Amino acid sequence: MTTLQNTTSSSIIFLLTGVPGLEAFHTWISIPFCFLDITALSGNSLILFAIVTQPSLHEPMYYFLSMLSTTDLGLSISTLVTMLGIFWFDAREISFNACLSQMFFIQLFTVMESSVLLAMAFDRFVAISSPLRCASILTDLKIVQIGVAIITRGTLIQTPLVLLLKRLSFCHSHVLHHSYCFHPDMMKLSCTDTRINSAVGLTALITTAGVHSIFIIFSYFLIIKTVLSIASPEERKKAFSTCVSHIGAVAVFYIPLISLSFVHRFGKQAPPYVHTLIANAYLLIPPVLNPIIYSVKTKQIRRAVL
């Protein structure tokens, strides 16, 4: 696209991108994407319904799982309209304010998911190290307070990114490289100095996913230490088996996130389809796989779903 005249942010129309070079096959490509979205929406909704309706699941572990399913639903819904709109109707245009809103909610739910995974790691540590005191430590009120703190912290972290983007001018191509609005992607199109935006964005990433991952690893260090102190091999196996689902959820969240961040910051020479593949995996894999992981690996959830 040719270079455009310097434009104020309020009048900008961005163009989203599907799969570069495969525009003629977007209708066919939409089939697996649609299937994955339906799987994510139905799977997480089913888990939420099971937790709400089954009194036996009204425990801290499952309350945190309901938070995880809620954030996964938010991630799926945040991109559903633009992604399928591109594949089905070639509806690529999105206004600057709509793009900002989508970016805010995608990154808010990402921060929330990372925070929930950290809370779940703490829950697993408490449940294994002090099983008799778990209910008194993680009371219903405490879990509500954790949920409110997760939402508040995520909002406070993401708001500066939105405000800093609004001050930028865009005088280059307005073509984004994904089927949704992503912070580094939007910054690249600005003709204004974006060093502050980059610094704040990197700080937000480090203080959320970076810090959370360190504390999750530390929690599992303590969990392993506690499990190894258990005398009975059978009890050790049983204690650690309660963490398998959470470890899977951490892996399917952090691997695509780290891959996408590295590609955006260091993979400028990578083919366009690499960016597209990793970007879509970043948003689709966790909401699709988390319900499957917890349904397969958690007996109580599997029984409730069935």
Side-chain angles (χ1 to χ4, degrees):
M1 193 171 182
T2 56
T3 303
L4 304 175
Q5 187 177 359
N6 191 9
T7 315
T8 58
S9 60
S10 59
S11 62
I12 290 172
I13 299 294
F14 285 121
L15 294 176
L16 299 170
T17 302
V19 181
L22 297 176
E23 289 80 3
F25 301 98
H26 274 179
T27 302
W28 293 104
I29 294 172
S30 71
I31 295 175
F33 279 95
C34 188
F35 173 76
L36 290 173
D37 279 321
I38 292 173
T39 303
L41 293 174
S42 58
N44 286 290
S45 298
L46 193 58
I47 283 184
L48 278 174
F49 179 77
I51 293 173
V52 170
T53 57
Q54 298 291 324
S56 61
L57 299 182
H58 294 175
E59 299 177 5
M61 173 183 174
Y62 302 109
Y63 288 144
F64 287 125
L65 178 56
S66 69
M67 293 183 194
L68 186 67
S69 293
T70 302
T71 59
D72 282 338
L73 282 172
L75 273 176
S76 299
I77 294 170
S78 296
T79 60
L80 181 64
V81 175
T82 56
M83 189 179 294
L84 295 184
I86 292 171
F87 290 140
W88 286 351
F89 309 110
D90 197 30
R92 299 177 57 199
E93 293 188 353
I94 184 170
S95 69
F96 179 79
N97 289 328
C99 199
L100 271 187
S101 299
Q102 185 185 48
M103 183 210 78
F104 173 80
F105 282 108
I106 287 174
Q107 300 202 173
L108 172 63
F109 286 121
T110 301
V111 171
M112 287 174 59
E113 180 144 354
S114 177
S115 302
V116 171
L117 289 172
L118 173 59
M120 294 175 84
F122 175 71
D123 166 67
R124 289 298 82 213
F125 169 67
V126 173
I128 291 173
S129 62
S130 305
L132 299 179
R133 297 177 55 215
C134 184
S136 61
I137 295 174
L138 290 171
T139 61
D140 290 352
L141 177 60
K142 186 68 68 177
I143 292 171
V144 170
Q145 291 173 339
I146 291 172
V148 172
I150 287 172
I151 297 172
T152 304
R153 181 170 177 266
T155 302
L156 291 176
I157 288 173
Q158 295 307 315
T159 300
L161 299 180
V162 174
L163 297 178
L164 287 171
L165 276 176
K166 288 183 74 71
R167 73 179 181 86
L168 300 180
S169 297
F170 298 84
C171 53
H172 302 307
S173 168
H174 292 168
V175 179
L176 297 170
H177 295 126
H178 304 308
S179 56
Y180 57 87
C181 297
F182 189 57
H183 182 254
D185 207 12
M186 296 176 70
M187 281 195 306
K188 289 179 182 178
L189 302 183
S190 174
C191 53
T192 314
D193 186 359
T194 59
R195 283 178 294 181
I196 295 177
N197 299 70
S198 297
V200 173
L202 184 59
T203 301
L205 181 64
I206 292 172
T207 55
T208 53
V211 171
H212 295 167
S213 62
I214 292 172
F215 279 108
I216 289 172
I217 292 171
F218 180 67
S219 297
Y220 271 97
F221 171 77
L222 296 177
I223 288 171
I224 292 171
K225 184 179 178 182
T226 303
V227 169
L228 292 178
S229 66
I230 300 174
S232 169
E234 196 65 32
E235 289 298 319
R236 284 202 298 266
K237 182 180 178 181
K238 182 179 178 182
F240 197 72
S241 67
T242 63
C243 302
V244 172
S245 297
H246 180 254
I247 292 172
V250 170
V252 300
F253 173 78
Y254 275 100
I255 292 174
L257 175 62
I258 294 170
S259 301
L260 181 62
S261 299
F262 269 89
V263 165
H264 264 281
R265 296 188 184 278
F266 308 112
K268 295 181 175 61
Q269 304 303 320
Y273 66 84
V274 173
H275 291 260
T276 302
L277 179 64
I278 295 177
N280 288 313
Y282 154 66
L283 291 183
L284 285 174
I285 287 180
V288 170
L289 291 185
N290 282 338
I292 296 173
I293 290 171
Y294 275 93
S295 296
V296 170
K297 292 295 184 181
T298 308
K299 182 170 62 176
Q300 292 87 339
I301 289 291
R302 186 168 63 252
R303 285 177 177 173
V305 168
L306 292 175

